Structures are given as C-alpha cells and as structure tokens.
Amino acid sequence: MNSPPIVNVTVILSPEYIFSGTLTVLTNVSLLLFMLSRRKLRICQHAITISTLVTSILFAGIYIFPRFSYTIQRFNDTQVQPDDYRCGLFARIGLALFLSLGSHILLRTLQMYLVICHPFKSVAWLRKRNTYGALVIVWAATIAIPVGSQIYFEVTYTYIGPQTSDFCRNTAIAFLRWFSIIVATFSILVLALLTITYGRILLITNKTRARIRTVSISTVEKSISRIPKLRRRSKAMNQVMTVYLLYFIFWIPFITMILYTQYSPALQQQIWPQSTYFAFRATQYIAFLFPAIQPILFSIFTSDIYAEITKSCRLGKNRSANNNSVFNNS
C-alpha cells in the first residue's frame, strides 16, 4: 500500500516585487494616460506603443504583484511547486503576458526597421490594417494560451476523480516547463532581430555620414538637406542600441536560467540547491524591472512623444510664471 505524499508548506514573502510592480504600474499608467490625452499621439503610428503599455500594466497586476506572497509545496522532498489558483492559472497567464511583451518588442523593432531602412515601402506596410492586424494576432495568442490550457484542465478534471491533485500538479509542471522553454527561445530570436536591426541602421547611418562628408562645396544645400535624415537615423540607432543593451542586461540572464533549470535532468528530480534558487529569483526580479523601464525609453526616443512632453512642461512653466507674476502684482 502506497503511503500518501508528505507535503511541506512554506510561505515566502518577497516585498521587492511590490516595488517593481508599483514602479511598472506608475510608469506605464502615466505614459498611457498622457498619450490618450493627446490627440496627436492617438494615431496608428503609436498603436504598438499603447498596446505595450497595456500589456505591462496587466503583467504587473496579474503576475508581479501576486509574487509578493506565495506558497511553496514540497512533496516528499522531491518536487517543488508554487501553490497557484486552479492548477497554475496565474502562472500560465503571466508567461503568456511575458511572451506578449517580447512580441511587442518584436513589432516595434520591425516598425523602426521599416521606417528607417525602407521609408517608401513602410508607408504601404505600416497601414492601419496591417498594424492593427498584427496586434490582434498578438493579443489573440496572449488570450488563447491561458484560456485554452485552462479549458483542457477543467474538462479533464471531470474524468480523473481522486487523482485530480496529482494530475493537476504533474501536468501543470510539464506544461510550464515546455512553455518556459518556448518563451525563452522566442526571446533569443527577438534579441537576434534587435542585433540585425541595429547593424542595418548603423550601416545606413554611416553611409549617410560618408555621403555628407564627400559632398562638394557646390552642393552644400543638398548636404544640408540630408542632415535631418541623418539625425533621425542616428536617434533610431541610439534607441535600438539602448533597447538592445537593456534587453540583454535585464532579460538574457533570466532566459539563461530558465533554459538551465528546465533542461537540467538533476533539477527535475530534486529540490533546487539554494544557490540555484537564489540565482533564478534574482534574475527573474531583474527581468521584471524591464517593463518599468520601457515607458522611459518611449518618452526619450520617440520624437512625437518627446515633443509633446516637452511642450507640456513648457506650458506648465509658463503657467507657473504667469501665476507668480499675477501674485506679485496683486
């Protein structure tokens, strides 16, 4: 007769996730409200940016904040599984949103590449229909992954009977393992695309600089007309480089830990060593800070957003100066 598994329950508090979640919500909500309040920013060109902000807010609310306090269950000292609602529903939603964040970075990178490297073709390729269609596909996949898997779990419950808890635990672990590997692989592909995009924009920018330097004195006006294009490409190059570096610093260590922990046979059969567990949690926390940094990058490197923010700050200073002037004269 098999003895029932010995279950040890441990509650873990992680207040650092309150900080990262709050920072993510503040930065993304602030920029989202600002963009929605400006008519010039409510256009198709910024649809991907707005969708990214919404994804980051949902990611913080559904996946980051709940990690402030969660329960670890150890079964016979051989398996470790967080105690999640309905057989890991929130974990699957979080991974789907994490995949969605990578998809949005992919869409923004493609958008930037087309605008800088193929300015004439981008007019046709970046129409409303294509842009909104790509966003619909991303959101459909983001919703379908947790909903479809949850339907499978809910339907299967009715046929399992007393073994429901064991089935739930084992199946959820297997699903999260393979889904984590898919998300990590996709993130590496996004990094490769960022590398290609940066290299292409760098090449085009250097060619433009070379043309301006070799222009003769008789064509000074033509040389001056190319300077704004050079500035735009240089700014785009700086944006891609910044996103590339931050993406590498914030996400790659976590992705590496995912692949290591999910592919290592030894870690599938026993409790993780303390050093491995600490490294995984530390890299995960750093990765979860990336959505909080994105709105700052959008504000600095997106010319329309930066211009509107500068304009608002200037108007605010003028109002403050006028109020002070009225107060002093009264």
Side-chain angles (χ1 to χ4, degrees):
M1 181 176 180
N2 295 329
S3 59
I6 300 174
V7 180
N8 297 321
V9 179
T10 304
V11 178
I12 297 179
L13 297 179
S14 303
E16 63 272 14
Y17 285 100
I18 290 293
F19 170 77
S20 61
T22 302
L23 183 63
T24 300
V25 171
L26 285 177
T27 55
N28 285 274
V29 168
S30 298
L31 184 57
L32 178 62
L33 293 178
F34 180 81
M35 293 185 67
L36 294 178
S37 65
R38 297 295 187 275
R39 186 176 61 180
K40 291 183 179 180
L41 301 180
R42 297 195 305 267
I43 57 177
C44 175
Q45 180 183 349
H46 300 299
I48 298 175
T49 302
I50 292 175
S51 180
T52 304
L53 299 176
V54 174
T55 305
S56 299
I57 295 170
L58 293 175
F59 183 73
I62 297 175
Y63 200 57
I64 297 181
F65 279 126
R67 291 182 173 272
F68 166 71
S69 174
Y70 65 97
T71 303
I72 289 289
Q73 293 185 352
R74 291 180 173 87
F75 301 89
N76 291 336
D77 290 333
T78 57
Q79 297 185 37
V80 179
Q81 174 68 7
D83 185 16
D84 200 350
Y85 177 74
R86 302 303 293 177
C87 203
L89 174 60
F90 286 109
R92 291 189 291 275
I93 294 177
L95 279 174
L97 289 172
F98 196 78
L99 180 65
S100 180
L101 287 173
S103 300
H104 281 86
I105 294 176
L106 176 65
L107 291 179
R108 277 191 58 83
T109 303
L110 289 174
Q111 183 185 41
M112 191 183 313
Y113 175 82
L114 291 174
V115 170
I116 299 300
C117 301
H118 303 282
F120 297 107
K121 293 181 180 179
S122 66
V123 176
W125 289 348
L126 296 178
R127 292 178 179 176
K128 284 185 178 181
R129 181 180 60 185
N130 297 335
T131 302
Y132 292 147
L135 290 175
V136 167
I137 293 174
V138 170
W139 278 103
T142 303
I143 296 172
I145 290 170
V147 170
S149 60
Q150 194 61 30
I151 291 175
Y152 168 76
F153 281 112
E154 298 293 343
V155 171
T156 312
Y157 283 158
T158 59
Y159 301 101
I160 298 299
Q163 293 81 26
T164 296
S165 59
D166 293 335
F167 165 81
C168 173
R169 182 174 65 252
N170 296 330
T171 308
I173 291 174
F175 181 89
L176 291 177
R177 181 181 302 149
W178 287 108
F179 192 29
S180 298
I181 293 173
I182 292 173
V183 172
T185 305
F186 179 78
S187 300
I188 293 175
L189 293 177
V190 172
L191 180 65
L193 181 63
L194 280 171
T195 305
I196 296 172
T197 302
Y198 176 73
R200 179 64 176 166
I201 293 177
L202 179 62
L203 179 64
I204 293 177
T205 303
N206 289 336
K207 285 184 178 179
T208 305
R209 285 195 182 119
R211 289 173 186 170
I212 292 177
R213 291 194 189 107
T214 57
V215 165
S216 62
I217 299 177
S218 60
T219 58
V220 172
E221 291 183 0
K222 186 177 181 181
S223 176
I224 294 175
S225 67
R226 290 179 177 175
I227 291 178
K229 184 184 294 185
L230 175 63
R231 289 175 178 171
R232 288 195 300 270
R233 287 175 175 171
S234 298
K235 191 171 184 178
M237 183 180 65
N238 293 334
Q239 179 182 2
V240 175
M241 184 61 181
T242 304
V243 173
Y244 177 85
L245 290 176
L246 291 177
Y247 188 91
F248 189 88
I249 293 171
F250 281 79
W251 275 21
I252 294 304
F254 180 50
I255 292 169
T256 303
M257 287 302 301
I258 289 177
L259 294 176
Y260 169 68
T261 55
Q262 302 305 322
Y263 270 119
S264 176
L267 296 179
Q268 307 303 325
Q269 304 297 329
Q270 62 184 6
I271 297 176
W272 292 0
Q274 191 65 28
S275 58
T276 303
Y277 180 76
F278 176 79
F280 185 87
R281 296 287 292 177
T283 55
Q284 182 187 60
Y285 178 73
I286 293 173
F288 286 0
L289 285 173
F290 186 80
I293 305 298
Q294 276 197 119
I296 301 175
L297 299 178
F298 295 156
S299 302
I300 295 174
F301 291 108
T302 307
S303 57
D304 293 348
I305 299 176
Y306 182 80
E308 287 295 318
I309 292 176
T310 304
K311 180 181 177 181
S312 298
C313 293
R314 192 181 302 115
L315 291 175
K317 289 181 180 179
N318 292 337
R319 290 195 194 98
S320 178
N322 292 334
N323 292 336
N324 292 333
S325 177
V326 171
F327 178 77
N328 293 331
N329 294 332
S330 59

